[in-house]
Amino acid sequence: MKVIYTEKSQLLAARVAQHLGCKIAEVKYNTFPDGEQYVRVMDLDEEMVIVASTVDAGSVLQAVLMLDACEGRNTTLVLPYMGYARQDKRFNDGEPISARALARILSEGASRIFTVNIHDPSVLSHFKCPAQNLTIAPKVGEYIKTMNLADPLVLAPDDGAWEFAKGVAAVGGWDCDHLDKTRLSGSEVKMAPKHLEANGRDCIIVDDIIATGGSMATAAGMLKEQGATSVRAAGVHGVFASGGYVKLMQAGLADVASSDTIERASSKITASTVIADAVRR
């Protein structure tokens, strides 16, 4: 078995290979003058593992080319972050169901596929080979444990992310709740924990994706107004679009952490052990 990687997933691929106890093969990349991409896997094996977060169009294309390069092998495709997965419905006439389109393309040449905390698990039905979604909620909880907070309150940004937050909170047996929005006027909205009080608590907002960070930044300010001792944020996929990371830091968060599904300076949590365990099984 050998592990290969797209350019945006080198760190995670190296960690997965280390946990699997196998070699990581060299991959050569080049771009022709007309913009076309060239990929060459230098050392193929009968079993191949491709680690490819599809964070942009270039990463999608690299994953497709690698799958073709591994033709005839038993190939596992790992999509730690699957871009385009949030467009899982046709909202307007003429729109593609982007998650379905990408799933179909990436199924070609793969024997099995793993995703990590995909936004909507129903997307898995669009793959043409066995596909499984993995969760690293316990890994997020383990990271929170390292903070040595006496009595933290784990918060989901909404009720849709509450199950994920419960998985995080279960690691330390911590209190868990979700934020609830109350419209006070046409322009004023209040965000507060639905069932518990933030006053005097170290609050950690957790989610599968930190996209623009806007809602988290707003929630952090309101939680501090409600007497929270501190506010932190932890997510699986740190997208941080439109200056999202800066936005969170300016909101006064004590810590912002994400995983290495998207490789950032905030990647303090690794998905590698969960992925390696799944590949080994």
Side-chain angles (χ1 to χ4, degrees):
M1 180 185 290
K2 286 181 181 167
V3 175
I4 53 177
Y5 50 88
T6 50
E7 287 184 287
K8 300 279 179 77
S9 296
Q10 298 177 51
L11 176 62
L12 180 54
R15 288 172 173 170
V16 169
Q18 183 179 28
H19 288 300
L20 285 172
C22 67
K23 290 184 178 178
I24 186 161
E26 181 185 358
V27 182
K28 290 191 174 180
Y29 304 95
N30 197 6
T31 304
F32 293 108
D34 61 359
E36 289 188 5
Q37 289 200 50
Y38 171 86
V39 170
R40 185 182 178 191
V41 181
M42 300 305 294
D43 194 10
L44 290 163
D45 194 58
E46 286 306 305
E47 278 192 86
M48 299 297 296
V49 178
I50 302 172
V51 180
S53 281
T54 52
V55 296
D56 52 29
S59 300
V60 173
L61 182 54
Q62 285 183 355
V64 170
L65 294 176
M66 282 186 179
L67 283 163
D68 197 70
C70 294
E71 184 182 16
R73 270 74 180 180
N74 183 4
T75 304
T76 297
L77 175 63
V78 181
L79 298 169
Y81 173 72
M82 183 179 168
Y84 298 91
R86 283 185 284 178
Q87 177 79 11
D88 54 1
K89 295 178 180 67
R90 182 175 286 117
F91 300 97
N92 301 291
D93 288 343
E95 286 183 349
I97 301 175
S98 304
R100 181 180 66 185
L102 195 63
R104 288 172 173 174
I105 292 167
L106 293 174
S107 297
E108 292 295 329
S111 305
R112 58 178 178 165
I113 292 173
F114 293 108
T115 59
V116 178
N117 288 104
I118 196 166
H119 186 67
D120 183 356
S122 69
V123 170
L124 299 181
S125 66
H126 297 308
F127 289 108
K128 299 176 184 176
C129 60
Q132 181 184 351
N133 186 49
L134 310 174
T135 182
I136 64 165
K139 294 296 176 184
V140 177
E142 288 173 16
Y143 174 73
I144 292 171
K145 257 191 173 180
T146 66
M147 300 176 186
N148 295 316
L149 301 173
D151 187 26
L153 173 59
V154 177
L155 293 168
D158 51 49
D159 60 353
W162 201 8
E163 286 303 314
F164 174 75
K166 287 176 184 176
V168 173
V171 173
W174 303 307
D175 287 342
C176 182
D177 200 356
H178 70 85
L179 292 170
D180 188 54
K181 290 182 183 178
T182 304
R183 183 160 292 282
L184 304 177
S185 68
S187 60
E188 191 178 1
V189 174
K190 179 185 177 183
M191 296 175 71
K194 177 73 173 177
H195 306 289
L196 303 172
E197 291 290 329
N199 186 39
R201 307 290 296 270
D202 291 301
C203 297
I204 302 140
I205 307 171
V206 300
D207 204 356
D208 58 343
I209 299 176
I210 305 177
T212 64
S215 295
M216 275 192 176
T218 301
M222 291 186 176
L223 288 169
K224 286 192 285 185
E225 287 175 8
Q226 293 159 26
T229 304
S230 67
V231 183
R232 295 167 169 81
V236 177
H237 311 299
V239 176
F240 302 123
S242 303
Y245 185 82
V246 171
K247 202 179 297 178
L248 291 171
M249 297 310 294
Q250 287 178 333
L253 274 80
D255 184 55
V256 178
S258 59
S259 81
D260 51 7
T261 57
I262 302 177
E263 295 172 8
R264 307 288 194 201
S266 60
S267 297
K268 303 169 186 177
I269 303 157
T270 183
S272 58
T273 54
V274 172
I275 292 170
D277 288 345
V279 169
R280 193 180 289 112
R281 288 195 298 270

